[in-house]
Amino acid sequence: MTDAQAPDLTGTDTPGTPTGTPGTTGAPAPAPGTNPVAPTPAGTRTAADVVTPELVARLVKGVVGSGRTVNHTPFTGEKLADLPESTPEDVARAFDLARAAQAVWAATPVRRRAAVLLRFHDLVLERQAEVLDLIQLETGKARLHAHEEVQAVAMAARHYGHRAGAYLRPKRHTGAIPVLTKVTELRHPRGVVGQIVPWNYPLELSVGDALPALVAGNAVVMKPDTESCLTALWARDLLIEAGLPADVLQAVIGLGPVVGPEVVKRGDYVSFTGSTRTGREVAQIAADRLVGFSLELGGKNAMLVLDDADLDKAAAGAVRACFSSAGQLCVSIERLLVHESVADAFLERFAARTRAMRLGSALAYGADMGSLVSGQQLDTVRRHIEDAVAHGARIVAGGAARPDIGPFFHEPTILDGVTEAMTVCAEETFGPVVSVQRFRTDDEAVDRANSTPYGLNSSVWTRDARRGRAIGARLRTGTVNLNEGYASAYGSVRSPMGGMKDSGLGRRHGSEGILKYTETQTIAEQRLLPLAPALGMDDEGYARFMSRGLRAMKAFRLR
Ligand code: NAD
């Protein structure tokens, strides 16, 4: 995006997307202004206080870019910073620099690489105020939701800082013939990983997701979204302060369809997080090159409220699950399936909490929800609400844009009476809109929850943990949270997180989240006797000897 093209309303670095019409589309708006505005504490910092020319100059030093672009803050739609933009030649240079640095980094002992992550963990927690301001300004989210990113990055840094050595250490295995064949499995870094990052979680999904690749000995060329790249660059700087050699983590920025494919064409492995549509394009290029890739994609996540759920806790949990980061969270809940016997009582509680949510744009704690990121996101939200209402849905809470707070603010919205025919039921909204549907039996709830091409996250609320786990195992989603919306599974960094079906391929976190950034190599040493007739055996004698040996190995339960 260039200055000339930069209508401050698009909010993402994909060109040709429609600009928004903040607050002016004509969806039914029962009671605009229902949600109160969070007060701005005296002395709160402004964008100009935070995004100073000195800070921008320091951060953009990390970008390999010879062009020029800008980004904006969704809070006002105004320009935040002048930025370099990367050309295809710049991307090639970034890969060259990364490749040159990677060999030395890979030769650095794992424990020293891991120590960088543990120092980074401490620095992020110490310096969190700086990055919380940047995340809020670049994404428009409330500070409490920005803090989720700090928590997620600290958890990933701690986990891989402590466990990388164990995940990566050479492993001994039983060989073809025990004792005679000695086998070691090695894990090598893949080389230079190309990483493509969406705008919505610019700390967690940029450097946060790069940590396991780096500690495994790879270099990374990261392409954050232009609109939230300052956050990613800040994190890169902090990682260098923690001890990472600067060239090991390169940054390029620019238009997604231009710079993105250049990254995919050069990576020895590709880590992509974003929409399912773009993920398919990335997969095609990577498949053609025969390089590995992981895709963390969209969702249409369901929360099941069973007939024995604690309704107060479920209502409070639904507010967090549906409206965190204004619903612009991949694991956010967009479909609420409630047992018919408790639906009215649940909805009453949920609607009351939703209407009381305070909206705000201050760089301070206190708001329960912030802004949408762009006019494009606002238009999608309006379109989905309009379509649902036109087909008979009822707005229970919210329903209106809030241009009185900022150009892309929209109230948290609950729709009742949603049917499968409505767009809001099928497509990812990625906004603060949730549909309510009633069910009669557990089987019906499971079928409805699974009736989407997506399979990222789900949530089950019940007082019966055994019943909840049994239902969870039938849901076709990569994560299931019991009596929580998304945070329990996402925050459990020892366990894999990712999507089934159209929600992705591969996983972040746990062993899968680091081993995907490695190539395995098996080194097998044959000792004393060859795997062939020897010691005067003829072919038939050898075949008999081996057949007996195989039977014995099974009898001795050798694996
Ligand atoms: P997007 O697909 O438009 O963009 C994601 C990234 O891809 C951006 O950096 C963009 O510049 C780049 N890009 C755009 N076109 C490209 C191309 N042709 N080739 C290569 N790269 C290209 O997605 P978005 O709107 O930024 O993010 C929102 C989506 O991401 C939602 O669907 C959300 O559910 C999903 N998401 C998923 C996860 C997860 O972990 N599963 C996390 C966050 C967001």
Side-chain angles (χ1 to χ4, degrees), residues 12-14 196-200 205 223-225 254-257 260-261 264 272-278 281-282 296-299 330 428 430 456 497 503 508:
T12 72
D13 60 15
T14 303
I196 300 183
V197 183
W199 49 265
N200 66 328
L205 302 180
K223 192 206 89 59
D225 192 287
L255 293 170
V264 183
F272 174 83
T273 307
S275 64
T276 299
R277 183 182 49 77
T278 311
E281 293 179 33
V282 165
E296 301 286 349
L297 308 176
C330 55
E428 183 182 41
F430 220 52
L456 190 58
M497 182 272 154
S503 289
R508 61 163 63 85

Side-chain angles (χ1 to χ4, degrees), residues 33-81:
T34 306
N35 286 95
V37 181
T40 302
T44 301
R45 290 169 303 285
T46 63
D49 297 330
V50 174
V51 186
T52 59
E54 296 73 36
L55 178 77
V56 175
R58 175 163 70 82
L59 296 185
V60 302
K61 271 195 200 141
V63 179
V64 185
S66 49
R68 208 176 142 256
T69 187
V70 292
N71 70 350
H72 309 86
T73 175
F75 284 144
T76 60
E78 287 164 358
K79 184 175 100 175
L80 260 187

Side-chain angles (χ1 to χ4, degrees), residues 66-379:
S66 49
R68 208 176 142 256
T69 187
V70 292
N71 70 350
H72 309 86
T73 175
F75 284 144
T76 60
E78 287 164 358
K79 184 175 100 175
L80 260 187
D82 289 303
L83 303 164
E85 186 173 46
S86 310
T87 61
E89 294 72 34
D90 292 327
V91 178
R93 201 157 68 81
F95 270 89
D96 288 345
L97 290 168
R99 218 169 277 292
Q102 191 263 333
V104 178
W105 177 240
T108 307
V110 183
R111 92 191 118 68
R112 281 186 37 212
R113 300 198 300 253
V116 173
L117 271 60
L118 294 172
R119 279 195 295 274
F120 178 71
H121 167 277
D122 296 347
L123 286 173
V124 166
L125 292 178
E126 267 167 41
R127 307 259 294 274
Q128 57 180 284
E130 293 169 35
V131 77
L132 290 173
D133 285 347
L134 284 175
I135 295 171
Q136 280 200 272
L137 283 169
E138 293 198 312
T139 65
K141 65 178 80 172
R143 202 167 189 82
L144 184 64
H145 303 151
H147 199 268
E148 290 182 358
E149 294 205 54
V150 170
Q151 294 169 38
V153 165
M155 286 175 182
R158 185 198 66 224
H159 175 65
Y160 288 117
H162 284 312
R163 293 277 305 168
Y167 284 136
L168 299 170
R169 96 168 38 110
K171 296 191 175 51
R172 292 283 301 276
H173 299 299
T174 308
I177 306 217
V179 185
L180 299 187
T181 322
K182 182 180 168 192
V183 173
T184 313
E185 176 194 326
L186 299 181
R187 292 274 169 185
H188 296 290
R190 290 193 181 257
V192 183
V193 173
Q195 187 200 18
I196 300 183
V197 183
W199 49 265
N200 66 328
Y201 272 65
L203 173 65
E204 151 67 351
L205 302 180
S206 64
V207 166
D209 268 355
L211 295 175
L214 293 166
V215 79
N218 298 280
V220 174
V221 175
M222 132 180 118
K223 192 206 89 59
D225 192 287
T226 308
E227 291 297 338
S228 50
C229 70
L230 291 176
T231 301
L233 294 173
W234 180 91
R236 176 184 178 272
D237 243 32
L238 204 68
L239 203 47
I240 292 165
E241 197 176 319
L244 186 80
D247 276 350
V248 168
L249 178 56
Q250 300 288 331
V252 291
I253 55 179
L255 293 170
V258 178
V259 177
E262 294 300 323
V263 172
V264 183
K265 279 181 214 159
R266 290 182 169 80
D268 300 318
Y269 184 85
V270 178
S271 162
F272 174 83
T273 307
S275 64
T276 299
R277 183 182 49 77
T278 311
R280 288 187 204 284
E281 293 179 33
V282 165
Q284 276 175 8
I285 302 175
D288 200 41
R289 296 186 53 232
L290 295 180
V291 296
F293 57 91
S294 60
L295 305 173
E296 301 286 349
L297 308 176
K300 191 73 191 174
N301 310 305
M303 168 167 157
L304 281 57
V305 181
L306 306 189
D307 49 6
D308 66 344
D310 180 322
L311 297 186
D312 286 312
K313 287 187 182 155
V319 167
R320 293 194 301 276
C322 303
F323 304 128
S324 182
S325 291
Q328 301 165 115
L329 169 63
C330 55
V331 286
S332 171
I333 298 296
E334 296 197 354
R335 297 181 296 146
L336 261 170
L337 307 177
V338 192
H339 191 273
E340 60 177 7
S341 65
V342 295
D344 290 342
F346 167 79
L347 205 49
E348 191 183 318
R349 289 165 170 80
F350 178 41
R353 287 178 182 273
T354 300
R355 289 191 201 103
M357 286 174 69
R358 294 154 302 173
L359 312 186
S361 61
L363 301 183
Y365 289 104
D368 300 310
M369 200 180 90
S371 174
L372 288 165
V373 76
S374 66
Q376 187 188 357
Q377 287 298 128
L378 182 64
D379 283 348

